[in-house]
């Protein structure tokens, strides 16, 4: 037993020594000790509850034809290779990089849409990424959208993508900037996180919980120069969506109580839980303790109202020792990876960090992470951890006139 303890401490010292390299910024000396205590720092979320699924799909039950992702015409071309390293604040060590994508010029510079969430799946042998965006400023009435991207190098449509407008059945009583018809309207949410599970898309909705979409129910709508200011289904049965060719309708939602604000969502590595995170800034919200929550899902993908887990990650970068600025989460075993922004310290032009927290530890292990980093998605088949950055030029942020917006993947084994 003593020999085992000595070997354990030697291993910890070795890990701490590795932590001095330029990739890992700091290490928690007691993390490995806590890693065997899977319940330490993990609490039953007794005050958190999930309401039953509310089916909102009646508005598309007749008069619509549905498509799946393989049937979507992808009309935009992304840039692959090393171009993503040219964006502002990209500080991932070269040996950890495995994939990188930049949007076309219009999408990496637009100021009226910002990307937030990322997820992925494989269908008919083709690998896809899904990215969620929210509309801002003059485009706020358009709500939110997702982007479908082909990331299979052998595919004939490699790195092509299409934006798809998210819609729901609640029709606004009046609109000032566009014409609203019946049946469906835009979904005005921040779209801070997105997850994929068994054909369904889960969108974190800041104060509600989870909005759910069926990826086999994409709808093609009318297009044309005169449809940019129209949305919904008119009296003649014509479909409009602000000049978007496709819409993805919300089919339902589940309200989550006492766990908001929901800044992100992702499926755990085991495929048994959906994990959400709370975003609070370390300065303005220093008195609030951010948490991440694990919600068991059944085989059909419904969140269960039992066995809910709460974790309170620590992060000594902040004065109160808690993990503020959570933009993304990924959970594997008794560890949580956090994409955090707003750190009071800088690393290679970025105040973001990837933080690895083991249940019950006194601190996170932190790694360099790009400026403006958002959500996380783990592609288990390749052991890739994907993320994305959000800022356009002249966003009023640190990047100034430089592009910050990209998608990237790292070798997850370097961060375990």
């Amino acid at each position: 037993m003593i020999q085992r303890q000595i070997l354990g401490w030697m291993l910890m010292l070795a890990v701490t020594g590795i932590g001095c390299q330029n990739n890992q910024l700091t290490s928690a000396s007691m993390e490995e000790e806590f890693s065997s205590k899977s319940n330490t720092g993990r609490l039953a979320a007794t005050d958190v509850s999930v309401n039953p699924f509310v089916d909102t799909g009646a508005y598309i039950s007749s008069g619509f034809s549905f498509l799946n992702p393989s049937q979507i015409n992808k009309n935009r071309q992304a840039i692959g290779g090393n171009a993503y390293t040219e964006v502002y604040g990209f500080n991932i060590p070269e040996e950890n990089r495995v994939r990188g994508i930049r949007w076309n010029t219009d999408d990496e510079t637009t100021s009226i849409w910002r990307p937030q969430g990322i997820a992925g799946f494989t269908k008919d042998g083709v690998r896809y990424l899904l990215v969620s965006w929210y509309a801002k400023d003059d485009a706020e009435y358009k709500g939110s959208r997702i982007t479908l991207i082909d990331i299979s190098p052998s595919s004939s449509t490699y790195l092509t993508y299409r934006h798809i407008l998210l819609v729901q059945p609640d029709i606004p009583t009046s609109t000032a900037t566009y014409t609203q018809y019946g049946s469906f309207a835009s979904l005005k949410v921040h779209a801070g996180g997105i997850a994929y599970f068994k054909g369904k898309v889960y969108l974190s909705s800041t104060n509600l919980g989870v909005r759910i979409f069926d990826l086999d129910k994409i709808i093609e709508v009318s297009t044309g120069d005169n449809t940019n200011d129209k949305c919904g289904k008119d009296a003649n049965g014509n479909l409009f969506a602000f000049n978007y060719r496709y819409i993805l309708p919300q089919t339902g939602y589940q309200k989550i109580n006492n766990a908001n604000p929901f800044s992100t969502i992702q499926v755990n590595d085991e495929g048994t839980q959906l994990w959400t995170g709370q975003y609070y800034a370390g300065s303005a919200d220093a008195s609030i303790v951010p948490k991440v929550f694990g919600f068991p899902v059944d085989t059909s993908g419904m969140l269960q109202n039992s066995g809910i887990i709460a974790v309170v990650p620590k992060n000594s970068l902040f004065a109160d020792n808690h993990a503020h600025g959570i933009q993304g989460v990924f959970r594997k075993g008794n560890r949580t990876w956090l994409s955090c922004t707003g750190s009071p310290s800088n690393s290679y032009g970025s105040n973001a960090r990837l933080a690895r927290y083991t249940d019950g530890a006194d601190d996170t292990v932190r790694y360099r992470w790009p400026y403006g980093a958002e959500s996380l998605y783990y592609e288990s088949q390749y052991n890739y951890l994907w993320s994305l950055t959000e800022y356009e030029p002249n966003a009023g942020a640190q990047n100034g006139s430089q592009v910050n917006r990209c998608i990237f993947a790292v070798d997850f084994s370097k961060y375990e």
Side-chain angles (χ1 to χ4, degrees):
M1 183 68 173
I2 294 174
Q3 287 177 334
R4 225 178 256 176
Q5 288 177 339
I6 293 171
L7 286 172
W9 282 110
M10 289 174 65
L11 177 61
M12 287 168 59
L13 289 171
V15 170
T16 304
I18 293 171
C20 294
Q21 296 176 1
N22 63 357
N23 173 38
Q24 187 170 311
L25 298 174
T26 187
S27 64
S29 60
M30 297 301 289
E31 184 187 12
E32 298 304 324
E33 179 184 341
F34 280 104
S35 65
S36 63
K37 303 175 183 177
S38 59
N39 292 323
T40 304
R42 221 174 78 170
L43 308 172
T46 54
D47 58 335
V48 176
S49 62
V50 179
N51 291 359
F53 175 75
V54 176
D55 189 336
T56 62
Y59 68 114
I60 54 169
S61 60
S62 63
F64 294 91
S65 298
F66 302 118
L67 303 173
N68 64 57
S70 64
Q71 297 171 300
I72 300 305
N73 176 275
K74 296 180 288 298
N75 64 336
R76 301 191 178 208
Q77 181 69 53
I79 304 168
N82 294 324
Y84 66 100
T85 65
E86 299 169 9
V87 298
Y88 175 84
F90 193 88
N91 59 0
I92 301 294
E94 189 170 355
E95 63 271 20
N96 294 3
R97 306 170 188 171
V98 289
R99 291 290 301 273
I101 300 169
R102 282 181 72 170
W103 305 96
N104 73 10
T105 301
D106 287 345
D107 289 321
E108 73 175 5
T109 60
T110 181
S111 62
I112 61 174
W113 290 95
R114 277 194 184 159
Q116 298 289 300
I118 188 167
F121 63 97
T122 298
K123 183 177 179 63
D124 300 328
V126 178
R127 296 159 61 197
Y128 294 98
L129 289 179
L130 291 170
V131 172
S132 63
W133 306 62
Y134 73 95
K136 56 191 290 287
D137 300 331
D138 293 340
E140 282 186 6
Y141 63 91
K142 295 183 179 180
S144 51
R145 68 185 185 188
I146 64 168
T147 304
L148 180 72
I149 312 171
D150 179 344
I151 61 166
S152 293
S154 60
S155 172
S156 61
T157 57
Y158 177 52
L159 289 185
T160 59
Y161 63 96
R162 167 72 75 164
H163 300 310
I164 300 170
L165 194 72
L166 298 178
V167 300
Q168 46 83 30
D170 296 328
I171 308 299
T173 55
S174 63
T175 58
T177 56
Y178 72 97
T179 300
Q180 176 67 60
Y181 299 113
S183 293
F184 61 86
S186 58
L187 179 64
K188 299 179 183 178
V189 296
H190 186 69
I194 188 172
Y196 174 90
F197 186 74
K198 295 187 176 182
K200 302 292 195 301
V201 171
Y202 299 77
L203 193 73
S204 59
S205 188
T206 307
N207 293 308
L208 174 72
V210 181
R211 297 179 184 269
I212 303 172
F213 306 79
D214 186 338
L215 262 188
D216 286 329
K217 291 190 174 179
I218 301 171
I219 298 171
E220 186 170 5
V221 305
S222 306
T223 59
D225 292 338
N226 297 320
T227 63
N228 192 49
D229 58 353
K230 299 176 182 179
C231 188
K233 185 177 183 179
D234 71 10
N236 297 319
N238 298 311
L239 308 181
F240 302 96
F242 307 124
N243 216 29
Y244 281 77
R245 181 170 174 177
Y246 302 98
I247 59 174
L248 181 63
Q250 175 187 292
T251 55
Y253 65 85
Q254 285 192 264
K255 179 174 174 54
I256 302 174
N257 308 294
N258 301 319
N260 65 301
F262 304 99
S263 65
T264 188
I265 188 169
Q266 196 49 257
V267 183
N268 68 333
D269 179 57
E270 295 79 11
T272 57
Q273 299 162 335
L274 282 167
W275 280 80
T276 67
Q278 295 179 312
Y279 176 90
Y280 289 111
S283 53
D285 301 315
S287 62
I288 303 173
V289 178
K291 301 180 181 70
V292 295
F293 297 93
F295 299 92
V297 291
D298 64 16
T299 54
S300 65
M302 295 297 100
L303 280 70
Q304 302 299 291
N305 190 32
S306 62
I308 302 169
I309 299 167
V311 174
V312 185
K314 300 295 183 66
N315 191 339
S316 61
L317 275 180
F318 295 95
D320 65 352
N321 201 34
H322 292 296
H324 293 278
I326 298 174
Q327 305 279 7
V329 297
F330 170 64
R331 178 79 173 180
K332 182 178 181 180
N334 67 334
R335 283 178 167 176
T336 308
W337 283 259
L338 308 164
S339 175
C340 297
T341 57
S343 158
S345 67
N346 227 292
S347 173
Y348 296 82
S350 173
N351 60 1
R353 300 287 189 276
L354 181 67
R356 187 187 75 211
Y357 180 74
T358 300
D359 291 349
D362 289 333
D363 201 357
T364 59
V365 175
R366 294 182 293 269
Y367 304 88
R368 286 160 44 182
W369 210 235
Y371 179 71
E374 290 288 321
S375 297
L376 300 173
Y377 155 60
Y378 178 58
E379 190 178 16
S380 59
Q381 181 180 354
Y382 298 90
N383 205 31
Y384 289 177
L385 185 65
W386 290 87
S387 188
L388 72 168
T389 53
E390 70 168 322
Y391 289 119
E392 73 276 11
N394 301 309
Q398 293 176 22
N399 60 308
S401 61
Q402 301 176 74
V403 171
N404 165 249
R405 196 172 286 163
C406 71
I407 302 170
F408 64 94
V410 297
D411 179 353
F412 184 61
S413 67
K414 303 289 181 64
Y415 301 87
E416 285 198 274

